[in-house]
Amino acid sequence: MASSKRRPILIAVGLIVLIVLIGAGFMIKQAQARYTSTIYTGSKQASSVDTSKPISILLLGVDTGADGRIDKGNSDTIMVVTINPQTKKTVITSIPRDTLAQMVGVKPTNVQKLNAAYNIGGSDMAKASVGALLNIPIDYYATLNMGGLKQIVDAVGGVTITSPLNVTFDHITITKGTHHLNGKQALTYTRMRYQDPRGDYGRQLRQQQVMKAVLAKLADSKTYTRYSQLLTSLKGNLKTDLSFNDLVSLAANDHANTKNIKSTQLIGMPAWINTSSYQIASTKTLQSTSNAIRSQLGLSAEKLSNMETRLNALNTTYNGTTNLNYNTNGLDTITYTDDTK
Protein backbone atom coordinates (compact mmCIF):
# COMPACT_ATOMS: atom_id res chain seq x y z
CA MET A 1 0.00 0.00 0.00
CA ALA A 2 1.32 3.43 -0.93
CA SER A 3 2.15 5.93 1.79
CA SER A 4 -0.05 9.00 2.30
CA LYS A 5 2.48 11.12 0.41
CA ARG A 6 2.08 8.82 -2.58
CA ARG A 7 -1.71 8.90 -2.47
CA PRO A 8 -2.65 12.49 -3.35
CA ILE A 9 -6.23 13.41 -3.98
CA LEU A 10 -5.83 15.40 -7.17
CA ILE A 11 -8.04 17.86 -8.93
CA ALA A 12 -5.61 17.64 -11.81
CA VAL A 13 -7.72 15.28 -13.86
CA GLY A 14 -10.70 17.62 -13.56
CA LEU A 15 -8.57 20.60 -14.46
CA ILE A 16 -7.01 19.04 -17.52
CA VAL A 17 -10.10 17.47 -18.96
CA LEU A 18 -12.32 20.50 -18.43
CA ILE A 19 -9.61 22.65 -19.97
CA VAL A 20 -9.43 20.38 -22.98
CA LEU A 21 -13.16 19.90 -23.29
CA ILE A 22 -14.35 23.40 -22.55
CA GLY A 23 -11.82 26.10 -21.78
CA ALA A 24 -9.21 25.91 -24.51
CA GLY A 25 -10.98 24.75 -27.63
CA PHE A 26 -9.48 27.21 -30.05
CA MET A 27 -5.98 26.54 -28.63
CA ILE A 28 -6.38 22.85 -29.43
CA LYS A 29 -7.67 23.64 -32.90
CA GLN A 30 -4.63 25.78 -33.64
CA ALA A 31 -2.22 23.14 -32.40
CA GLN A 32 -4.07 19.96 -33.36
CA ALA A 33 -1.73 18.81 -36.10
CA ARG A 34 1.33 19.43 -33.98
CA TYR A 35 0.11 17.88 -30.75
CA THR A 36 -2.19 15.02 -31.69
CA SER A 37 0.61 12.48 -31.44
CA THR A 38 2.27 14.26 -28.52
CA ILE A 39 -0.39 14.60 -25.83
CA TYR A 40 -3.20 12.23 -26.72
CA THR A 41 -2.96 8.72 -25.30
CA GLY A 42 -6.47 7.43 -25.95
CA SER A 43 -7.17 4.49 -28.23
CA LYS A 44 -9.97 5.79 -30.47
CA GLN A 45 -9.24 7.89 -33.53
CA ALA A 46 -12.67 8.72 -34.98
CA SER A 47 -15.10 11.12 -33.34
CA SER A 48 -18.04 9.51 -31.55
CA VAL A 49 -19.46 12.28 -29.35
CA ASP A 50 -22.77 13.86 -30.28
CA THR A 51 -22.17 17.38 -28.99
CA SER A 52 -25.87 18.20 -29.19
CA LYS A 53 -26.70 15.75 -26.37
CA PRO A 54 -25.78 15.64 -22.66
CA ILE A 55 -22.78 13.48 -21.77
CA SER A 56 -21.09 12.24 -18.62
CA ILE A 57 -17.35 11.84 -18.05
CA LEU A 58 -15.76 10.03 -15.13
CA LEU A 59 -12.64 11.91 -14.06
CA LEU A 60 -10.06 9.95 -12.10
CA GLY A 61 -6.94 11.22 -10.39
CA VAL A 62 -4.89 8.05 -10.14
CA ASP A 63 -2.60 7.12 -7.27
CA THR A 64 0.53 6.03 -9.12
CA GLY A 65 3.19 7.75 -7.04
CA ALA A 66 5.84 9.81 -8.81
CA ASP A 67 6.87 7.35 -11.53
CA GLY A 68 4.52 8.71 -14.17
CA ARG A 69 2.43 5.55 -14.64
CA ILE A 70 -1.30 6.03 -15.16
CA ASP A 71 -2.31 2.47 -16.04
CA LYS A 72 -2.63 1.19 -12.44
CA GLY A 73 -3.28 2.58 -9.01
CA ASN A 74 -6.25 3.60 -6.89
CA SER A 75 -8.41 6.40 -8.25
CA ASP A 76 -8.18 8.70 -5.28
CA THR A 77 -9.92 11.55 -7.08
CA ILE A 78 -13.36 10.56 -8.34
CA MET A 79 -15.52 13.13 -10.12
CA VAL A 80 -18.52 12.74 -12.39
CA VAL A 81 -18.72 15.65 -14.82
CA THR A 82 -21.97 16.09 -16.71
CA ILE A 83 -22.17 18.51 -19.64
CA ASN A 84 -25.58 19.54 -20.95
CA PRO A 85 -25.42 21.57 -24.19
CA GLN A 86 -29.15 22.36 -24.05
CA THR A 87 -29.01 24.04 -20.63
CA LYS A 88 -25.36 25.10 -21.10
CA LYS A 89 -24.62 23.72 -17.65
CA THR A 90 -21.67 21.69 -16.39
CA VAL A 91 -21.98 19.93 -13.03
CA ILE A 92 -19.01 18.42 -11.20
CA THR A 93 -19.99 15.82 -8.58
CA SER A 94 -17.18 14.69 -6.27
CA ILE A 95 -17.46 11.22 -4.71
CA PRO A 96 -15.36 10.27 -1.64
CA ARG A 97 -12.70 7.70 -2.48
CA ASP A 98 -13.63 5.66 0.63
CA THR A 99 -17.28 5.24 -0.36
CA LEU A 100 -18.46 1.65 0.02
CA ALA A 101 -19.38 0.31 -3.41
CA GLN A 102 -19.75 -2.90 -5.34
CA MET A 103 -16.87 -3.73 -7.65
CA VAL A 104 -18.89 -4.34 -10.81
CA GLY A 105 -17.23 -6.91 -13.08
CA VAL A 106 -15.75 -9.35 -10.57
CA LYS A 107 -17.13 -12.65 -9.32
CA PRO A 108 -18.16 -13.52 -6.68
CA THR A 109 -19.87 -10.30 -5.61
CA ASN A 110 -17.43 -8.00 -3.85
CA VAL A 111 -17.65 -4.60 -2.13
CA GLN A 112 -14.66 -2.36 -1.45
CA LYS A 113 -13.76 1.29 -1.23
CA LEU A 114 -14.76 2.86 -4.53
CA ASN A 115 -11.21 3.98 -5.29
CA ALA A 116 -10.15 0.32 -5.63
CA ALA A 117 -12.26 -0.24 -8.75
CA TYR A 118 -9.71 1.27 -11.13
CA ASN A 119 -6.89 -0.73 -9.59
CA ILE A 120 -8.84 -3.99 -9.79
CA GLY A 121 -10.40 -3.67 -13.22
CA GLY A 122 -9.16 -0.49 -14.86
CA SER A 123 -11.36 2.15 -16.44
CA ASP A 124 -14.11 -0.32 -17.40
CA MET A 125 -14.66 -1.37 -13.79
CA ALA A 126 -14.40 2.19 -12.52
CA LYS A 127 -17.07 3.34 -14.98
CA ALA A 128 -19.31 0.36 -14.24
CA SER A 129 -18.96 0.67 -10.46
CA VAL A 130 -19.71 4.40 -10.33
CA GLY A 131 -22.55 3.92 -12.77
CA ALA A 132 -24.12 1.16 -10.67
CA LEU A 133 -23.64 3.08 -7.42
CA LEU A 134 -25.74 5.99 -8.69
CA ASN A 135 -27.76 4.37 -11.48
CA ILE A 136 -26.33 6.72 -14.08
CA PRO A 137 -24.74 6.18 -17.50
CA ILE A 138 -21.02 6.93 -17.64
CA ASP A 139 -20.16 7.69 -21.25
CA TYR A 140 -16.43 8.34 -21.06
CA TYR A 141 -13.53 8.44 -18.65
CA ALA A 142 -10.25 10.28 -18.29
CA THR A 143 -7.38 9.65 -15.88
CA LEU A 144 -4.43 11.79 -14.97
CA ASN A 145 -1.40 11.06 -12.83
CA MET A 146 -0.09 13.28 -10.07
CA GLY A 147 2.34 15.16 -12.31
CA GLY A 148 -0.42 16.82 -14.29
CA LEU A 149 -1.60 19.35 -11.73
CA LYS A 150 1.79 20.97 -11.20
CA GLN A 151 2.40 21.23 -14.94
CA ILE A 152 -0.99 22.63 -15.90
CA VAL A 153 -0.97 25.30 -13.17
CA ASP A 154 2.50 26.39 -14.22
CA ALA A 155 1.38 26.38 -17.86
CA VAL A 156 -1.36 28.95 -17.15
CA GLY A 157 0.98 31.12 -15.08
CA GLY A 158 -0.21 30.04 -11.64
CA VAL A 159 -3.56 30.53 -9.91
CA THR A 160 -4.87 32.86 -7.23
CA ILE A 161 -6.87 31.27 -4.42
CA THR A 162 -8.12 32.26 -0.98
CA SER A 163 -7.35 29.53 1.54
CA PRO A 164 -9.82 29.14 4.42
CA LEU A 165 -7.13 27.58 6.64
CA ASN A 166 -3.42 26.92 6.97
CA VAL A 167 -2.34 24.06 4.70
CA THR A 168 0.95 22.25 5.23
CA PHE A 169 2.07 19.24 3.21
CA ASP A 170 5.43 17.96 1.97
CA HIS A 171 7.30 20.76 3.80
CA ILE A 172 5.29 23.48 2.01
CA THR A 173 2.87 25.75 3.87
CA ILE A 174 0.03 27.79 2.39
CA THR A 175 -1.24 30.12 5.11
CA LYS A 176 -4.84 31.21 5.52
CA GLY A 177 -5.61 34.05 3.13
CA THR A 178 -5.20 34.95 -0.55
CA HIS A 179 -2.16 33.69 -2.47
CA HIS A 180 -0.92 33.27 -6.02
CA LEU A 181 0.18 29.64 -6.25
CA ASN A 182 2.60 27.99 -8.65
CA GLY A 183 2.14 24.38 -9.69
CA LYS A 184 4.00 22.84 -6.77
CA GLN A 185 2.11 24.95 -4.26
CA ALA A 186 -1.23 24.14 -5.89
CA LEU A 187 -0.41 20.44 -5.65
CA THR A 188 0.27 20.88 -1.93
CA TYR A 189 -2.95 22.83 -1.48
CA THR A 190 -5.05 20.03 -2.99
CA ARG A 191 -3.26 17.10 -1.35
CA MET A 192 -3.56 17.90 2.36
CA ARG A 193 -6.37 16.09 4.15
CA TYR A 194 -5.61 15.39 7.80
CA GLN A 195 -5.31 19.01 8.99
CA ASP A 196 -8.65 19.91 7.47
CA PRO A 197 -11.48 19.57 10.02
CA ARG A 198 -13.72 18.49 7.13
CA GLY A 199 -11.27 15.76 6.08
CA ASP A 200 -11.66 14.47 2.55
CA TYR A 201 -14.71 16.66 1.98
CA GLY A 202 -12.67 19.79 2.69
CA ARG A 203 -10.02 18.58 0.31
CA GLN A 204 -12.64 18.09 -2.40
CA LEU A 205 -13.72 21.72 -1.98
CA ARG A 206 -10.11 22.85 -2.37
CA GLN A 207 -9.81 20.70 -5.50
CA GLN A 208 -12.84 22.40 -7.01
CA GLN A 209 -11.52 25.81 -5.93
CA VAL A 210 -8.29 25.35 -7.87
CA MET A 211 -10.20 23.93 -10.84
CA LYS A 212 -12.29 27.08 -11.10
CA ALA A 213 -9.19 29.27 -10.70
CA VAL A 214 -7.54 27.56 -13.67
CA LEU A 215 -10.66 28.01 -15.78
CA ALA A 216 -10.69 31.70 -14.84
CA LYS A 217 -7.10 32.01 -16.06
CA LEU A 218 -8.10 30.44 -19.36
CA ALA A 219 -10.71 33.16 -19.83
CA ASP A 220 -7.88 35.72 -19.67
CA SER A 221 -6.58 36.56 -23.14
CA LYS A 222 -3.03 36.72 -21.74
CA THR A 223 -3.19 32.95 -21.25
CA TYR A 224 -3.69 32.35 -24.98
CA THR A 225 0.01 32.83 -25.65
CA ARG A 226 0.72 29.84 -23.41
CA TYR A 227 -1.21 27.27 -25.47
CA SER A 228 1.96 25.45 -26.54
CA GLN A 229 3.08 24.99 -22.93
CA LEU A 230 -0.47 24.15 -21.91
CA LEU A 231 -0.85 21.35 -24.41
CA THR A 232 2.65 20.02 -23.86
CA SER A 233 1.83 19.67 -20.16
CA LEU A 234 -0.61 16.89 -21.08
CA LYS A 235 2.11 14.70 -22.53
CA GLY A 236 2.30 11.35 -20.75
CA ASN A 237 -0.25 12.41 -18.16
CA LEU A 238 -3.64 12.00 -19.80
CA LYS A 239 -5.42 8.76 -20.67
CA THR A 240 -9.00 8.71 -21.98
CA ASP A 241 -11.41 6.80 -24.19
CA LEU A 242 -12.39 10.03 -25.94
CA SER A 243 -10.74 10.49 -29.30
CA PHE A 244 -8.68 13.60 -29.88
CA ASN A 245 -11.29 14.75 -32.39
CA ASP A 246 -13.89 14.33 -29.65
CA LEU A 247 -11.90 16.59 -27.35
CA VAL A 248 -11.62 19.24 -30.04
CA SER A 249 -15.30 18.99 -30.88
CA LEU A 250 -16.38 19.26 -27.26
CA ALA A 251 -14.05 22.18 -26.70
CA ALA A 252 -15.41 24.03 -29.71
CA ASN A 253 -19.08 23.35 -29.00
CA ASP A 254 -19.23 23.46 -25.20
CA HIS A 255 -17.15 26.56 -24.46
CA ALA A 256 -20.25 28.29 -23.06
CA ASN A 257 -20.43 25.75 -20.23
CA THR A 258 -17.54 27.49 -18.45
CA LYS A 259 -19.97 30.28 -17.61
CA ASN A 260 -22.28 27.94 -15.68
CA ILE A 261 -20.31 25.41 -13.66
CA LYS A 262 -21.76 23.91 -10.49
CA SER A 263 -19.76 21.87 -7.99
CA THR A 264 -21.35 19.43 -5.57
CA GLN A 265 -20.37 16.53 -3.31
CA LEU A 266 -21.82 13.19 -2.36
CA ILE A 267 -21.61 13.31 1.45
CA GLY A 268 -21.32 10.02 3.33
CA MET A 269 -21.06 8.98 6.97
CA PRO A 270 -18.08 7.31 8.69
CA ALA A 271 -18.13 3.58 9.35
CA TRP A 272 -15.86 0.77 10.42
CA ILE A 273 -15.96 -2.41 8.41
CA ASN A 274 -13.74 -5.00 10.04
CA THR A 275 -10.63 -2.86 10.72
CA SER A 276 -10.96 -0.37 7.85
CA SER A 277 -12.53 3.08 7.78
CA TYR A 278 -15.19 3.65 5.11
CA GLN A 279 -17.71 6.25 4.05
CA ILE A 280 -21.30 5.03 3.79
CA ALA A 281 -23.66 6.91 1.50
CA SER A 282 -27.18 6.63 2.84
CA THR A 283 -29.89 5.43 0.51
CA LYS A 284 -31.48 8.90 0.69
CA THR A 285 -28.20 10.55 -0.31
CA LEU A 286 -27.59 8.07 -3.12
CA GLN A 287 -31.11 8.59 -4.42
CA SER A 288 -30.92 12.39 -4.37
CA THR A 289 -27.50 12.36 -6.08
CA SER A 290 -28.77 9.94 -8.70
CA ASN A 291 -31.83 12.11 -9.32
CA ALA A 292 -29.72 15.25 -9.74
CA ILE A 293 -27.25 13.71 -12.17
CA ARG A 294 -29.97 11.98 -14.19
CA SER A 295 -31.85 15.27 -14.43
CA GLN A 296 -28.69 17.01 -15.66
CA LEU A 297 -28.41 14.30 -18.34
CA GLY A 298 -32.04 14.75 -19.39
CA LEU A 299 -33.12 11.44 -17.82
CA SER A 300 -36.08 10.79 -15.54
CA ALA A 301 -35.55 9.74 -11.94
CA GLU A 302 -35.57 6.03 -11.09
CA LYS A 303 -35.72 4.33 -7.70
CA LEU A 304 -32.31 3.02 -6.70
CA SER A 305 -32.02 -0.69 -5.98
CA ASN A 306 -28.46 -1.92 -5.84
CA MET A 307 -25.98 -3.61 -3.53
CA GLU A 308 -25.45 -0.43 -1.51
CA THR A 309 -29.16 0.15 -0.84
CA ARG A 310 -29.61 -3.50 0.11
CA LEU A 311 -26.71 -3.38 2.58
CA ASN A 312 -28.04 -0.11 4.02
CA ALA A 313 -31.42 -1.78 4.62
CA LEU A 314 -29.71 -4.63 6.51
CA ASN A 315 -27.74 -2.30 8.80
CA THR A 316 -30.66 -1.10 10.88
CA THR A 317 -28.57 -0.12 13.94
CA TYR A 318 -25.79 1.73 12.08
CA ASN A 319 -26.24 5.52 12.25
CA GLY A 320 -22.81 7.01 11.42
CA THR A 321 -22.53 8.73 14.82
CA THR A 322 -22.99 6.62 17.94
CA ASN A 323 -22.80 3.33 16.06
CA LEU A 324 -20.11 3.13 13.36
CA ASN A 325 -20.16 -0.63 12.89
CA TYR A 326 -21.34 -1.63 9.43
CA ASN A 327 -21.87 -5.24 8.34
CA THR A 328 -21.21 -6.23 4.72
CA ASN A 329 -22.01 -9.91 5.36
CA GLY A 330 -18.43 -10.74 4.43
CA LEU A 331 -18.65 -9.27 0.94
CA ASP A 332 -15.63 -7.03 1.62
CA THR A 333 -13.37 -10.00 2.41
CA ILE A 334 -14.01 -12.11 -0.69
CA THR A 335 -11.00 -12.96 -2.81
CA TYR A 336 -12.00 -11.85 -6.28
CA THR A 337 -10.89 -12.87 -9.74
CA ASP A 338 -10.72 -10.18 -12.40
CA ASP A 339 -12.92 -11.31 -15.29
CA THR A 340 -12.94 -7.93 -17.03
CA LYS A 341 -10.02 -8.72 -19.33
Side-chain angles (χ1 to χ4, degrees):
M1 181 176 293
S3 69
S4 60
K5 288 186 179 181
R6 296 302 186 197
R7 301 180 63 185
I9 300 284
L10 301 178
I11 75 157
V13 61
L15 287 169
I16 298 294
V17 176
L18 283 180
I19 286 167
V20 173
L21 297 183
I22 304 170
F26 79 96
M27 295 182 186
I28 299 172
K29 281 187 171 181
Q30 292 180 41
Q32 181 173 0
R34 181 177 176 185
Y35 288 102
T36 298
S37 61
T38 304
I39 69 169
Y40 179 65
T41 58
S43 58
K44 293 192 291 185
Q45 299 302 314
S47 295
S48 59
V49 173
D50 184 346
T51 56
S52 68
K53 297 181 179 179
I55 66 167
S56 60
I57 305 168
L58 179 64
L59 309 181
L60 304 172
V62 182
D63 167 22
T64 53
D67 58 7
R69 293 181 297 109
I70 57 174
D71 57 332
K72 282 294 182 180
N74 292 330
S75 54
D76 280 348
T77 291
I78 304 171
M79 297 179 179
V80 177
V81 173
T82 49
I83 302 172
N84 189 318
Q86 279 95 38
T87 61
K88 300 191 184 305
K89 265 176 60 174
T90 294
V91 178
I92 305 165
T93 304
S94 295
I95 305 175
R97 63 171 197 160
D98 292 340
T99 301
L100 179 72
Q102 181 180 355
M103 303 291 101
V104 177
V106 296
K107 296 180 180 179
T109 300
N110 180 247
V111 295
Q112 297 288 343
K113 294 180 180 181
L114 185 57
N115 70 338
Y118 185 77
N119 197 8
I120 296 170
S123 57
D124 287 343
M125 185 176 294
K127 289 167 66 175
S129 298
V130 172
L133 177 71
L134 297 173
N135 187 28
I136 56 172
I138 302 291
D139 299 314
Y140 303 99
Y141 85 95
T143 65
L144 197 85
N145 65 17
M146 65 179 293
L149 175 61
K150 177 181 180 297
Q151 295 181 33
I152 194 62
V153 171
D154 285 337
V156 299
V159 295
T160 299
I161 59 91
T162 299
S163 176
L165 74 169
N166 294 331
V167 174
T168 299
F169 194 85
D170 263 356
H171 310 294
I172 296 175
T173 296
I174 311 298
T175 58
K176 182 178 179 179
T178 301
H179 305 277
H180 189 76
L181 306 183
N182 61 27
K184 188 173 183 179
Q185 292 169 325
L187 182 60
T188 289
Y189 186 67
T190 58
R191 289 176 72 180
M192 186 276 286
R193 175 170 57 140
Y194 294 111
Q195 301 165 31
D196 195 318
R198 299 164 298 180
D200 194 30
Y201 296 105
R203 179 161 53 177
Q204 290 173 15
L205 293 175
R206 281 180 275 118
Q207 294 169 7
Q208 295 173 353
Q209 185 183 13
V210 174
M211 181 187 298
K212 291 178 180 179
V214 170
L215 290 173
K217 287 298 292 287
L218 285 169
D220 186 346
S221 60
K222 295 178 182 178
T223 308
Y224 298 166
T225 60
R226 294 176 174 266
Y227 77 85
S228 178
Q229 183 182 355
L230 181 68
L231 294 173
T232 300
S233 70
L234 300 179
K235 182 180 180 181
N237 290 320
L238 176 67
K239 186 175 181 180
T240 178
D241 56 358
L242 285 157
S243 74
F244 192 85
N245 287 337
D246 287 334
L247 299 182
V248 174
S249 180
L250 285 166
N253 288 280
D254 291 333
H255 185 78
N257 285 304
T258 56
K259 299 178 181 179
N260 194 0
I261 298 176
K262 178 183 177 182
S263 301
T264 186
Q265 298 172 290
L266 186 153
I267 304 293
M269 300 181 294
W272 284 99
I273 300 174
N274 294 323
T275 59
S276 296
S277 174
Y278 279 75
Q279 287 287 305
I280 302 298
S282 69
T283 297
K284 181 179 179 180
T285 297
L286 290 172
Q287 185 69 65
S288 62
T289 303
S290 174
N291 292 350
I293 294 177
R294 290 181 65 87
S295 175
Q296 164 73 355
L297 292 173
L299 302 172
S300 60
E302 292 183 353
K303 183 178 179 179
L304 265 178
S305 178
N306 55 23
M307 179 55 65
E308 292 73 36
T309 62
R310 290 191 286 274
L311 286 174
N312 285 345
L314 292 174
N315 282 272
T316 56
T317 61
Y318 165 78
N319 58 23
T321 53
T322 58
N323 184 356
L324 301 184
N325 295 315
Y326 193 92
N327 183 12
T328 66
N329 292 331
L331 293 177
D332 63 305
T333 60
I334 292 174
T335 301
Y336 62 83
T337 55
D338 186 352
D339 62 354
T340 63
K341 296 181 179 180

